[in-house]
Amino acid sequence: MPLEVFQAPATLREQLIEFQSRQQCYPFTELDQLKEELAGYVGIYLLYYRGQLPLYSSIRTANQHSCCMPIYIGKAENPGKRTGKGSVAGGLIGRLREHRSSIRQVNNLDIADFDFTVVAMAVDLVAWGEAVLIRHFQPVWCSIISGFGIHAPGKGRGAQMRSMWDEIHPGRSFAVQLPANPVTIESLQPQVAQHCQNLAVRLGCPMEER
């Protein structure tokens, strides 16, 4: 007999998406000024790109007036906590600082071209909330170009191939010594462009002229 599966009510997913849409969008360059506001919270964060890299031209267009199409969604959680606020080590501010460091290390991205929003949540909801928002927004760095959120490979894994993200955004210190990944910006361009065009239609973002 098949097991009965508990599903979160669709209205709860819709409430999360609507709640996220009401959160303020901040320039990534202002992260340090916001550390007091973000300290102690866990939750989800969304990164938005507005730069000139041709691979992401559709994302730049989508975000020209507002934070509409995230390029990445991640989570910051602390299993020891039961509420959104408290004495959390790292949390949202810690994870965002890690990502800021990654972007600063590469040679074809600029932190000044990024914005972010956060969704502070009770820790029990964070993993669920991240999954809901990733399914809804299907960000390129979560669905097509993987590897942005990884850390340096552990002992014995130093011969693994560079992630797709590190291959097209070279510069992170731990990835430089890894074997090359055969992926290229040129090979990714059609897939990324079509993916973003479809997303722009569904999300109601500004679109590039084709």
Side-chain angles (χ1 to χ4, degrees), residues 26-67:
Y26 302 98
F28 218 162
T29 53
E30 296 181 5
L31 180 60
D32 284 339
Q33 291 96 299
L34 296 164
K35 62 183 179 181
E36 294 301 324
E37 294 181 43
L38 297 175
Y41 287 96
V42 296
I44 306 156
Y45 50 88
L46 301 87
L47 305 186
Y48 301 84
Y49 180 71
R50 303 178 193 271
Q52 298 299 314
L53 193 67
L55 178 61
Y56 304 134
S57 60
S58 297
I59 299 176
R60 178 181 67 247
T61 300
N63 293 326
Q64 60 183 309
H65 302 306
S66 64
C67 290

Side-chain angles (χ1 to χ4, degrees), residues 63-139:
N63 293 326
Q64 60 183 309
H65 302 306
S66 64
C67 290
C68 186
M69 184 185 295
I71 195 169
Y72 183 76
I73 294 174
K75 68 179 184 294
E77 56 186 343
N78 183 39
K81 285 293 165 184
R82 295 294 175 187
T83 61
K85 186 74 169 69
S87 179
V88 178
L92 285 167
I93 186 66
R95 199 73 177 108
L96 285 166
R97 281 172 170 165
E98 289 180 21
H99 292 322
R100 181 180 62 181
S101 175
S102 288
I103 292 169
R104 283 175 169 171
Q105 289 180 61
V106 304
N107 61 22
N108 57 4
L109 296 173
D110 189 331
I111 199 70
D113 294 327
F114 287 84
D115 299 306
F116 72 93
T117 61
V118 299
V119 180
M121 304 182 76
V123 72
D124 290 343
L125 296 174
V126 172
W128 167 81
E130 180 196 36
V132 167
L133 294 181
I134 287 176
R135 282 195 299 268
H136 178 71
F137 288 107
Q138 298 174 30

Side-chain angles (χ1 to χ4, degrees), residues 7 20 41 49 75 92 134 145 154 160 175 189 193-194 207:
Q7 302 282 355
Q20 183 278 324
Y41 287 96
Y49 180 71
K75 68 179 184 294
L92 285 167
I134 287 176
I145 302 172
Q160 70 183 39
Q189 185 81 58
Q194 186 61 59
M207 295 170 58

Side-chain angles (χ1 to χ4, degrees), residues 161-170 178-184:
M161 189 168 55
R162 259 180 234 139
S163 72
M164 293 175 68
W165 192 90
D166 285 294
E167 187 63 40
I168 65 171
H169 300 301
L178 297 177
N181 188 312
V183 72
T184 65

Side-chain angles (χ1 to χ4, degrees), residues 141-156:
W141 287 356
C142 296
S143 60
I144 298 177
I145 302 172
S146 60
F148 174 60
I150 64 174
H151 295 89
K155 186 176 180 181

